[in-house]
Amino acid sequence: MKNIAVVGATGYLGVFICQSLREQGYKVRCLARSEKKLIDEGISPESIRVVDFTSPSSLEGQLVDIDCVISCLGITRQKDGLSYMDVDYQCNANVLDEAVRADVKKFIYVSVFRGELLKDVDLCNAKEHFVDYLKQSGLAHCVVRPTGFFSDMQEFLDMARKGRVYLFGDGSKKLNPIHGKDLADVIVDSINKGEAVMEVGGPQVFSHKEISELAFDSLGINHKTALIPDCFRRLVLWAGKRLLSESTFGPVEFFLTVMAHDMVAPSHGHRTLAEYFEQLNTKSAEINL
């Protein structure tokens, strides 16, 4: 399989996937709502298809001659009045329907580690609805389940810069987040493999408290970590679900829920979180000059 379509190509992970595909000699077709960011990343206009994922007619013919679709399409920050079910489920379903019509050989979808156990979270519920739809399609497929991105860990660094990191419980929950490029390489490697599910984590396992300490160390300042009783996390989840809109509460709900679970998956990649924090700090210092 050499002709690959990337859906959600302008997102954090999508950009890395396009890079990895090009490095490994695949012919890439990028489907996105806008071409500007892709062109800025060096993607030729001939390889870009501007589509409206909410409209099945907009997708007609866009996957002709494609061997494999890789989708990391989903909402990170809700805009345009669209819900998780509108995008993470329905837009992906529209792409899958077109893939079936175009005789695509394989569909790779990026979901969430342990997402099948977290269906009470709106984001995970929408993603897992699509996973179920994908399994029923009859198409060869792979569901990739990452534990979390290094970019998500920037929240720890941002709090450390303000002088204090706030954690729920005792800070002992563990995870092994992964750099977007390392995850992209794993996804591209899965194109010609037969796994139906791949759980993917980074090379190092940390507790939340250890990530907090790493953030402070990267800044060269004293550790100040505040541990908040977990009952407050549960209270925020209970109140937010009832009082706030999905667009406001959705990202908070996901973050607060996964913070209460160990998120450790098989290790992949070689990029370290310490290096990532150092890169962010260097970039911040350059901006402030």
Side-chain angles (χ1 to χ4, degrees), residues 4-142:
I4 314 298
V6 180
V7 178
T10 59
Y12 168 78
L13 178 59
V15 169
F16 284 120
I17 291 173
C18 291
Q19 179 184 342
S20 293
L21 287 167
R22 293 161 68 197
E23 288 172 353
Q24 297 190 37
Y26 287 96
K27 185 175 180 180
V28 184
R29 184 180 302 172
C30 299
L31 275 61
R33 294 195 303 168
S34 170
E35 65 179 5
K36 182 181 183 304
K37 184 175 181 180
L38 294 171
I39 291 174
D40 291 343
E41 292 291 335
I43 305 294
S44 67
E46 294 78 16
S47 300
I48 301 171
R49 301 290 187 275
V50 177
V51 299
D52 177 1
F53 294 108
T54 67
S55 171
S57 62
S58 177
L59 290 162
E60 289 180 7
Q62 303 292 1
L63 298 177
V64 172
D65 297 327
I66 290 296
D67 298 312
C68 177
V69 172
I70 300 174
S71 178
C72 47
L73 179 64
I75 293 177
T76 51
R77 292 176 177 84
Q78 288 168 299
K79 300 177 182 178
D80 304 328
L82 297 174
S83 68
Y84 291 120
M85 288 299 290
D86 291 333
V87 177
D88 292 74
Y89 169 69
Q90 190 60 59
C91 286
N92 278 297
N94 293 341
V95 176
L96 176 58
D97 291 343
E98 185 61 27
V100 171
R101 283 192 289 270
D103 292 324
V104 169
K105 297 181 181 69
K106 186 172 184 178
F107 198 108
I108 299 172
Y109 176 62
V110 182
S111 185
V112 177
F113 182 65
R114 300 189 68 173
E116 71 277 23
L117 304 178
L118 300 172
K119 290 184 178 180
D120 54 334
V121 176
D122 287 344
L123 170 62
C124 297
N125 183 48
K127 287 184 177 296
E128 294 309 309
H129 264 73
F130 177 71
V131 170
D132 292 341
Y133 190 59
L134 177 59
K135 290 177 180 178
Q136 296 165 10
S137 70
L139 213 60
H141 62 271
C142 179

Side-chain angles (χ1 to χ4, degrees), residues 119-249:
K119 290 184 178 180
D120 54 334
V121 176
D122 287 344
L123 170 62
C124 297
N125 183 48
K127 287 184 177 296
E128 294 309 309
H129 264 73
F130 177 71
V131 170
D132 292 341
Y133 190 59
L134 177 59
K135 290 177 180 178
Q136 296 165 10
S137 70
L139 213 60
H141 62 271
C142 179
V143 178
V144 180
R145 297 188 177 279
T147 56
F149 301 141
F150 279 7
S151 57
D152 300 325
M153 302 303 105
Q154 187 172 339
E155 296 292 337
F156 288 84
L157 188 59
D158 290 343
M159 286 190 285
R161 284 183 179 137
K162 295 175 182 177
R164 193 177 301 273
V165 172
Y166 296 90
L167 301 176
F168 290 102
D170 60 5
S172 66
K173 295 299 181 183
K174 296 183 180 296
L175 73 160
N176 58 331
I178 188 168
H179 192 284
K181 183 60 169 68
D182 284 338
L183 177 58
D185 289 342
V186 172
I187 291 170
V188 172
D189 287 344
S190 75
I191 291 172
N192 292 302
K193 294 182 178 179
E195 292 93 338
V197 178
M198 290 189 66
E199 297 180 336
V200 183
Q204 298 172 297
V205 177
F206 301 95
S207 69
H208 294 166
K209 190 172 181 181
E210 287 170 338
I211 296 176
S212 169
E213 292 168 352
L214 187 65
F216 283 117
D217 288 342
S218 75
L219 295 166
I221 59 179
N222 293 332
H223 302 177
K224 292 183 179 179
T225 302
L227 300 178
I228 303 171
D230 193 62
C231 60
F232 287 98
R233 181 191 64 85
R234 297 194 299 270
L235 178 61
V236 171
L237 283 171
W238 181 88
K241 194 81 168 178
R242 289 157 178 80
L243 300 176
L244 300 175
S245 66
E246 182 186 275
S247 61
T248 300
F249 184 60

